[in-house]
Amino acid sequence: MGVLIVLFAGAVPGSAAPDTTAGESRIVDIAPGPDGFLDVQVYSAAMNTVLEVKVLRAVDPATAAPALYLLNGAAGGHGASSWHQKTDIGAFFADEQVNVVIPLGGSGSYFTDWQSDDPVLGRQQWTTFLTRELPPLIDAEFNGTGVNAAAGISMAATSVFQLALAAPGRYVAIGSYSGCIRTSDPMGRVMVRAVVGRWGGDASNMWGRWPSPGWTANDPYLHAEQFRGITVYVSTGTGLPGPLETLQGPGIAGDIGKLVDQAVVGGVLEAVTNHCAHMLRDRLNELGIPAVFDLRLNGTHSWGYWEQDLHRSWPLFRDALARGQ
């Protein structure tokens, strides 16, 4: 069995302006890329831009496959910070008949539909792209079944819940790795504004000026009842140094500076998401909604742990995708 791995980015540098007269999202071009990937360009009508997509096709293209959408964190996958660069997904999914879809782009966007275009971040309509535009194109081009799951890290660990809220039935399973699900309480608002502001954006353009109803409408914690019937996996560490905080750890390669950054900055971030995960666990327990929580006793906000999270959650997603068919 094989895998289709898809990655898409922000507007393709140097690409021609999209033909907006057609008014429909579409695949613009497919070309061979390195390491067995196909370089695919997709025009998003909602964002009026061409997005780059990398595709690694399944070994059996004749057999229909479900899709697993893997979303990157606040950097949007830029700066060599994407699932395909930081983890072993190529080898891990080599024997799986699944289409794995990984967005690049959307830095600081929360992969949501913004109320207003931002002076710095521009037009952000990721919910529309990820729930209405891209999935049908992927299914049509690469023999999809129409059954999807979504998982994300950090910022996107919030987004997968928001996408499930926005498009009931689009995702049969969601995975949240090191995310903060509650976005409209005081701590959540501070965190959201910090993430968006890190990339020069204004969160008021995303959900309006607080107390605009856009903030509560996009707070998954307040709408937890709607996750009943969806397979949910949530993971986080505590921020304490764990087995991967060593000079030989993934992505550190003997660099003491990287190790300190992972242990200190990554530790603080993970301590925050650990608190958020416990809040969500308690809320789902109150509602009697089943979910799998992998709350580690240590570990930081870093790729090595997210790769492990994907490995651990994939059997759960695979079963959900099979039932969805």
Side-chain angles (χ1 to χ4, degrees), residues 77-226:
H78 293 311
S81 182
S82 174
W83 281 100
H84 75 296
Q85 297 160 314
K86 293 294 189 179
T87 71
D88 64 352
I89 58 172
F92 182 73
F93 286 104
D95 295 324
E96 302 287 351
Q97 187 68 14
V98 63
N99 301 332
V100 181
V101 182
I102 306 174
L104 297 177
S107 302
S109 71
Y110 274 88
F111 296 110
T112 191
D113 283 355
W114 286 41
Q115 294 181 4
S116 305
D117 291 354
D118 188 83
V120 175
L121 299 182
R123 179 163 298 176
Q124 304 292 326
Q125 297 291 305
W126 287 92
T127 295
T128 296
F129 183 66
L130 292 172
T131 63
R132 295 168 52 191
E133 295 183 321
L134 185 62
L137 294 174
I138 293 298
D139 287 342
E141 185 69 30
F142 302 109
N143 196 13
T145 64
V147 180
N148 307 289
I153 63 166
S154 193
M155 178 191 79
T158 305
S159 304
V160 294
F161 280 92
Q162 294 166 338
L163 292 169
L165 285 176
R170 172 61 74 186
Y171 305 104
V172 298
I174 52 177
S176 175
Y177 312 144
S178 300
C180 201
I181 308 307
R182 194 164 190 179
T183 56
S184 66
D185 69 341
M187 184 183 75
R189 296 198 305 272
V190 168
M191 188 164 187
V192 168
R193 290 192 179 281
V195 170
V196 175
R198 165 67 178 81
W199 303 99
D202 182 351
S204 295
N205 291 321
M206 183 167 64
W207 295 328
R209 295 193 178 278
W210 177 260
S212 167
W215 286 83
T216 53
N218 285 280
D219 188 334
Y221 181 90
L222 300 180
H223 304 280
E225 177 63 41
Q226 296 188 40

Side-chain angles (χ1 to χ4, degrees), residues 12-86:
V12 178
S15 63
D19 177 10
T20 59
T21 59
E24 294 184 358
S25 301
R26 59 197 180 275
I27 292 177
V28 176
D29 186 56
I30 301 176
D35 302 323
F37 288 90
L38 297 175
D39 291 335
V40 182
Q41 295 182 24
V42 179
Y43 169 65
S44 165
M47 287 187 275
N48 189 29
T49 192
V50 174
L51 307 172
E52 186 179 356
V53 181
K54 292 187 181 293
V55 178
L56 180 62
R57 296 207 63 179
V59 66
D60 183 9
T63 300
L68 171 63
Y69 287 76
L70 294 179
L71 307 185
N72 289 306
H78 293 311
S81 182
S82 174
W83 281 100
H84 75 296
Q85 297 160 314
K86 293 294 189 179

Side-chain angles (χ1 to χ4, degrees), residues 216-241:
T216 53
N218 285 280
D219 188 334
Y221 181 90
L222 300 180
H223 304 280
E225 177 63 41
Q226 296 188 40
F227 302 116
R228 193 180 300 277
I230 299 176
T231 296
V232 175
Y233 181 98
V234 178
S235 63
T236 183
T238 61
L240 295 174

Side-chain angles (χ1 to χ4, degrees), residues 296-316:
R296 299 183 299 274
L297 297 178
N298 51 43
T300 62
H301 208 71
S302 51
W303 277 105
Y305 294 103
W306 297 330
E307 179 181 278
Q308 293 179 358
D309 293 336
L310 178 61
H311 288 192
R312 291 169 180 164
S313 55
W314 169 241
L316 191 70

